[in-house]
Amino acid sequence: MSSLANKRILLGISGGIAAYKSADLVRRLKERGADVRVVMTAGAQEFIKPLTFQALSGHPVHTDLLDPAAEAAMGHIELAKWAELILIAPASAQVLAKLAGGMADDLLSTLCLASEATLALAPAMNQAMWRHPATAANVDTLQARNTLIWGPAAGSQACGDVGPGRMLEPEALVAEVESLLQPRADLRGKHFAITAGPTRESLDPVRYLTNHSSGKMGFALAAAARRAGAEVTLIAGPVNLPTPAGVKRVDVVDAREMQEAAERAADLCDVFIAAAAVADFRPERIAQEKIKKSDGSDRDTLALVKNPDIVAGIAARNERRPFTVGFAAETEKVLEHAAGKLSRKKLDMIIANDVSEADSGFNSERNRVTVLDPSGRTELPQSLKTALAEQLIGMIAAQAFSQ
Ligand code: PMT
């Protein structure tokens, strides 16, 4: 596989226990055809030896700003100009602070200041350090300068704490690099509207019906379409995700609100993608007060009415009909049910996911889908939703704008 063939990646490694994972990162980047040069800080060398990275990258590792031998081979300014991506993984709190402050007191910080390459950081630190207002302010400063911040993930840490601060796994970082550097469709001038997340159908002031959708798939699609240059309106049910850069977000709660927002967005869009898990039914009435247990009975019934089918309504338009893509979340006979929805809802394309599969579908970082359209089907391997979204946006664009 050579998705990163000849891409020039400068990998900066700073001091942290996650530095050992960077060896696997180099291996994976090389496997995909990237040319990787490694720069290590003094702190990084306390955790892992440069020789490991020399063997994996096939090039001497750069460690010193003022090393005459290294400067003779490829000077630091030359290295800064050579890179098309500088990825620092792990990026310690100290590195974030230095870069935010524009300092150049070692080789890595000097290279970052001297380079016009895209800069991406994979933070790794103790959770309290990550949450500290000083680190948060540094991250804000860096993002305002278009530095990409990949992660961190949350979980148990080497120090015994639990929380955000773990470096993203090498596989996830490679997916980010691929989605950044891979050639993609040019969607400038195109408008995408995308629904994401669950809907929440109220029963009374304290209860509601909903599902396990996290919004990750729809948000990843919105980010991918935006990266390709499209104007993107993201209609989001109640989820806990940051808005992708440059995307216009409309927050909604229930299916009828989502339909209203979707119809408005569809008037202006070229492509409509329904990745939301819309509740098919809602309670017939919303009680004004909290519903009480009925005395003496251990059974009760809930009257439900059907919600509008948002994507079918948009696909049925005679005028201003966008290229319309649905998703199908199925637990059995996945392709059969998805094909039924493709034709019943009159969609141009449907993306079927088997949501019974482990580590795929609802509320997972990954998904495995089959894309169906009236002319056939394409099965895609299980991958991170961020990487999958890039692929799907490419496939959708190829069909929607083929003439
Ligand atoms: O959000 P994540 O945690 O990342 O999970 C992603 C996902 C599994 C939710 C996503 O990939 C997905 O499959 N979304 C569609 C889920 C779904 O509700 O499928 P469905 O088979 O019930 O509906 C088929 C299509 O009709 C979908 O495009 C849905 O958005 C749309 N629909 C359904 C009902 C309705 N009332 N209106 C709709 O527009």
Side-chain angles (χ1 to χ4, degrees):
M1 194 204 252
S2 55
S3 56
L4 296 174
N6 304 321
K7 299 290 178 193
R8 300 181 309 277
I9 300 171
L10 186 64
L11 178 66
I13 303 172
S14 66
I17 185 68
Y20 78 92
K21 291 190 195 170
S22 306
D24 186 31
L25 178 58
V26 175
R27 187 183 61 78
R28 288 172 186 265
L29 292 169
K30 292 281 293 177
E31 263 174 17
R32 286 161 177 77
D35 189 356
V36 183
R37 306 294 166 106
V38 177
V39 174
M40 295 179 78
T41 65
Q45 294 167 66
E46 298 292 328
F47 289 89
I48 186 164
K49 294 270 174 264
L51 200 57
T52 306
F53 293 101
Q54 177 168 325
L56 288 166
S57 70
H59 296 285
V61 172
H62 303 258
T63 53
D64 292 310
L65 184 55
L66 304 170
D67 174 353
E71 286 293 300
M74 193 195 258
H76 67 273
I77 296 294
E78 216 179 320
L79 197 54
K81 287 192 174 142
W82 169 86
E84 55 192 295
L85 168 67
I86 300 180
L87 166 60
I88 305 184
S92 63
Q94 166 77 355
V95 161
L96 298 187
K98 269 196 202 185
L99 298 182
M103 291 176 70
D105 65 348
D106 64 2
L107 180 59
L108 185 56
S109 53
T110 303
L111 285 169
C112 290
L113 206 58
S115 180
E116 288 174 3
T118 303
L119 176 61
L121 309 178
M125 66 197 72
N126 166 268
Q127 55 82 24
M129 291 168 79
W130 173 252
R131 291 187 216 264
H132 195 285
T135 304
N138 290 334
V139 169
D140 286 348
T141 302
L142 289 162
Q143 282 180 319
R145 290 189 208 133
N146 294 326
T147 300
L148 302 169
I149 307 289
W150 291 340
S156 54
Q157 305 198 297
C159 56
D161 280 8
V162 177
R166 286 170 59 93
M167 187 175 97
L168 288 189
E169 292 302 321
E171 183 199 24
L173 289 173
V174 170
E176 294 286 6
V177 172
E178 282 181 322
S179 53
L180 183 75
L181 297 183
Q182 263 175 12
R184 52 172 61 96
D186 182 356
L187 297 179
R188 280 172 298 179
K190 306 294 184 198
H191 194 146
F192 279 54
I194 300 173
T195 66
T199 63
R200 192 182 271 180
E201 312 295 331
S202 286
L203 199 52
D204 68 14
V206 297
R207 303 182 182 97
Y208 52 79
L209 304 176
T210 190
N211 58 63
H212 294 290
S213 170
S214 62
K216 287 174 189 163
M217 190 69 245
F219 275 57
L221 288 163
R226 179 68 197 142
R227 274 196 291 267
E231 290 283 311
V232 181
T233 303
L234 175 61
I235 301 151
V239 294
N240 191 15
L241 293 175
T243 310
V247 165
K248 179 182 165 208
R249 174 170 177 170
V250 181
D251 284 313
V252 298
V253 176
D254 63 28
R256 285 175 296 173
E257 275 178 36
M258 186 173 274
Q259 183 190 36
E260 222 180 287
E263 287 287 345
R264 254 199 320 272
D267 285 343
L268 303 171
C269 74
D270 304 288
V271 174
F272 180 81
I273 307 175
V278 185
D280 287 321
F281 292 92
R282 65 177 184 277
E284 189 170 30
R285 55 179 280 274
I286 304 174
Q288 293 304 308
E289 307 297 340
K290 185 180 168 193
I291 300 169
K292 299 290 175 210
K293 273 181 264 180
S294 39
D295 288 340
S297 169
D298 54 5
R299 276 169 182 263
D300 211 340
T301 48
L302 185 59
L304 299 174
V305 291
K306 215 163 184 196
N307 266 331
D309 191 318
I310 301 169
V311 76
I314 287 167
R317 286 179 170 208
N318 292 322
E319 284 172 21
R320 291 202 238 173
R321 181 189 183 281
F323 185 87
T324 307
V325 181
F327 269 77
E330 307 294 344
T331 54
E332 41 97 41
K333 297 186 187 156
V334 176
L335 296 184
E336 195 180 316
H337 289 314
K341 284 177 186 172
L342 176 71
S343 67
R344 242 188 351 269
K345 298 191 186 212
K346 299 190 169 46
L347 305 175
D348 298 301
M349 184 185 275
I350 196 156
I351 298 159
N353 29 210
D354 182 346
V355 291
S356 68
E357 199 173 286
D359 197 19
S360 194
F362 283 100
N363 198 19
S364 160
E365 296 302 325
R366 312 172 66 87
N367 208 0
R368 192 168 73 78
V369 302
T370 301
V371 179
L372 290 89
D373 61 36
S375 67
R377 67 176 64 150
T378 311
E379 202 174 318
L380 300 178
Q382 196 197 76
S383 54
L384 288 162
K385 284 177 179 170
T386 45
L388 183 62
E390 294 286 343
Q391 238 176 323
L392 291 173
I393 290 295
M395 292 172 79
I396 292 166
Q399 292 252 0
F401 309 119
S402 56
Q403 299 85 8

